[in-house]
């Protein structure tokens, strides 16, 4: 039996792109990885360094790539572009990264690419929408990593606070991957118990204050990491492996990716994160969860922020 090809093209050989590749190599998920960057010597160096670990991991082909590699790729992941400086918001990166993403879309248009595309470059929601606009592919096939990382941070911080395994905490951050993100407390469960009921029974903290602190910490964590060490890449690297698994293994996993809304949640023509069923075709289904009043208002506000910012680039 022929082994099913799982070819991943990564555009951007910086900290995020190479950390993702390192985690992907360890996962054994892909059969081939091609790496592209405008800095060719950086690509050569990264590919050599990563290749020297191949004797220790499941078989895989990894090489310096070109845009023609996208023609038979299953997944294209874009991590190319400028990153936040200390104190800088993600939206403030828009001017520089719009030009970079447009130049990448120009290259992709010339390939007969059938892959699912995952945008990671910030501001990820705006650049996901820009890519859909430029490439004119189905909205299902172009997604942003969105708040998959923020939701992971949320689960981790809740798990630490409640002293429960993070894998048993179900929690989602919705909206912008940025300052206007919305913690969906009404969808948060531990052991199937809604978090407010869980906290009332547990009764070890003033949960209303703790919930606020946790949500603030999730929103501000990238700023703290950038202040401490310059940039974030391990958390996003693992988040990207999780998204890749859902796509390449056709898992139908529920992940808060950034997707173009067309009427869902009463919102139109804006990319933001909501829970989606993710499989080999990208977004198989958008889940319309019954949010509470505050969350609905928060999501609307987040959408307005993004719509306004997108007008400045389109
Ligand atoms: P980095 O500076 O380490 O790497 C960026 C790479 O992009 C460089 O190697 C550069 O040569 C390359 N590049 C620039 N223009 C290019 C082009 N036109 N074509 C191909 N390659 C090009 O940055 P990083 O830390 O890897 O971050 C990359 C992006 O990911 C940033 O925008 C950052 O904000 C974003 N990011 C997103 C998330 C998320 O959750 N979505 C998390 C962390 C970082």
């Amino acid at each position: 039996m022929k082994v099913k090809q799982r070819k991943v093209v990564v555009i951007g050989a910086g900290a995020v792109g190479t950390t993702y590749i390192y985690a992907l190599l360890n996962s054994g998920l892909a059969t081939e990885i091609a790496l592209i960057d405008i800095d060719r010597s950086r690509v050569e160096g990264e590919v050599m360094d990563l290749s020297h670990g191949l004797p220790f991991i499941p078989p895989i082909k990894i090489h310096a790539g070109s845009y023609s590699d996208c023609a038979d790729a299953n997944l294209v992941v874009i991590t190319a572009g400028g990153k936040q400086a200390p104190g800088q918001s993600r939206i403030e990166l828009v001017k520089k990264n719009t030009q970079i993403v447009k130049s990448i879309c120009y290259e992709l248009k010339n390939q007969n690419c059938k892959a699912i595309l995952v945008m990671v470059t910030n501001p990820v929601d705006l650049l996901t929408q820009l890519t859909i606009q430029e490439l004119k592919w189905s909205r299902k096939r172009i997604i942003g990593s969105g708040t998959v990382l923020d939701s992971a941070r949320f689960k981790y911080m809740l798990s630490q606070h409640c002293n429960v395994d993070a894998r048993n905490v179900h929690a989602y951050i919705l909206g912008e991957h940025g300052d206007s993100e919305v913690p969906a407390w009404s969808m948060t469960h531990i052991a199937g118990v809604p978090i407010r009921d869980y906290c009332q029974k547990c009764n070890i903290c003033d949960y209303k204050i703790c919930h606020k602190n946790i949500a603030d910490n999730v929103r501000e964590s990238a700023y703290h990491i950038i202040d401490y060490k310059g940039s974030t890449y391990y958390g996003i690297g693992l988040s990207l492996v999780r998204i890749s698994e859902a796509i390449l293994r056709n898992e139908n996993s529920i992940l808060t990716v950034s997707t173009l809304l067309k009427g869902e949640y009463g919102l139109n023509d804006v990319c933001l994160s909501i829970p989606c069923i993710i499989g080999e075709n990208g977004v198989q289904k958008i889940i319309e969860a019954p949010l509470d009043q505050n969350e609905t208002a928060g999501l609307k506000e987040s959408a307005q922020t993004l719509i306004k910012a997108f007008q400045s680039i389109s």
Side-chain angles (χ1 to χ4, degrees):
M1 199 176 70
K2 213 171 161 242
V3 175
K4 195 176 173 216
Q5 171 198 279
R6 288 170 174 164
K7 179 175 177 181
V8 181
V9 174
V10 180
I11 305 172
V16 173
T18 53
T19 305
Y20 163 53
I21 292 177
Y22 182 72
L24 190 63
L25 288 174
N26 279 296
S27 74
L29 179 65
T31 55
E32 180 177 348
I33 300 173
L35 180 59
I36 300 173
D37 197 289
I38 39 164
D39 185 343
R40 289 289 301 177
S41 57
R42 180 165 194 163
V43 171
E44 292 301 333
E46 295 292 1
V47 167
M48 280 172 76
D49 195 1
L50 288 160
S51 302
H52 297 167
L54 293 193
F56 307 116
I57 59 168
I60 183 167
K61 191 173 154 196
I62 172 163
H63 57 95
S66 66
Y67 282 95
S68 61
D69 276 293
C70 297
D72 65 343
N74 302 88
L75 180 62
V76 173
V77 179
I78 300 180
T79 68
K83 59 187 177 203
Q84 290 163 268
Q88 190 180 28
S89 79
R90 295 174 180 97
I91 280 191
E92 286 171 313
L93 289 170
V94 74
K95 208 167 171 193
K96 180 176 183 189
N97 288 346
T98 292
Q99 292 317 316
I100 292 174
V101 167
K102 278 190 174 173
S103 71
I104 292 170
C105 288
Y106 177 79
E107 298 288 347
L108 287 171
K109 273 181 202 164
N110 297 323
Q111 310 302 328
N112 188 17
C113 182
K114 302 272 185 291
I116 305 301
L117 190 150
V118 178
M119 175 59 65
V120 188
T121 305
N122 275 320
V124 66
D125 302 290
L126 302 181
L127 297 179
T128 303
Q129 189 164 356
L130 179 72
T131 306
I132 295 172
Q133 189 173 287
E134 292 286 309
L135 294 180
K136 300 183 173 56
W137 298 357
S138 147
R139 65 172 172 152
K140 293 181 177 185
R141 274 178 67 202
I142 299 178
I143 59 184
S145 58
T147 58
V148 173
L149 172 57
D150 311 66
S151 296
R153 287 175 174 150
F154 193 25
K155 286 182 209 181
Y156 165 73
M157 288 180 198
L158 280 167
S159 80
Q160 290 295 103
H161 184 77
C162 301
N163 200 17
V164 173
D165 185 339
R167 294 169 300 180
N168 296 118
V169 178
H170 294 278
Y172 303 102
I173 298 286
L174 312 181
E176 181 197 5
H177 170 57
D179 299 342
S180 69
E181 67 185 31
V182 181
W185 289 106
S186 68
M187 297 172 74
T188 303
H189 290 76
I190 293 178
V193 182
I195 190 76
R196 287 184 182 116
D197 299 343
Y198 187 92
C199 292
Q200 273 167 9
K201 281 250 156 49
C202 176
N203 203 25
I204 54 158
C205 68
D206 184 339
Y207 77 88
K208 285 186 183 146
I209 293 175
C210 291
H211 285 190
K212 186 182 175 313
N213 289 344
I214 287 170
D216 290 349
N217 279 339
V218 171
R219 193 178 53 252
E220 287 158 15
S221 29
Y223 290 112
H224 293 315
I225 297 170
I226 290 165
D227 279 345
Y228 288 137
K229 55 173 256 184
S231 61
T232 76
Y233 37 88
Y234 294 121
I236 183 63
L238 289 170
S239 304
L240 292 174
V241 172
R242 184 69 198 93
I243 298 170
S244 307
E245 282 169 349
I247 295 167
L248 296 174
R249 292 201 185 119
N250 194 23
E251 286 181 352
N252 286 341
S253 300
I254 295 174
L255 295 168
T256 51
V257 296
S258 186
T259 187
L260 181 65
L261 297 188
K262 290 203 171 293
E264 297 87 357
Y265 293 84
L267 301 170
N268 261 304
D269 293 327
V270 61
C271 278
L272 49 69
S273 291
I274 43 161
C276 295
I277 300 180
I278 303 296
E280 64 184 352
N281 300 316
V283 175
Q284 319 267 37
K285 191 177 174 189
I286 293 172
I287 311 271
E288 292 213 52
L291 302 176
D292 72 21
Q293 225 178 353
N294 281 343
E295 293 160 357
T296 304
L299 197 62
K300 205 169 164 192
E301 218 169 281
S302 192
Q304 288 309 325
T305 304
L306 290 165
I307 289 167
K308 204 167 150 214
F310 193 70
Q311 280 162 359
S312 71
I313 60 167
S314 60

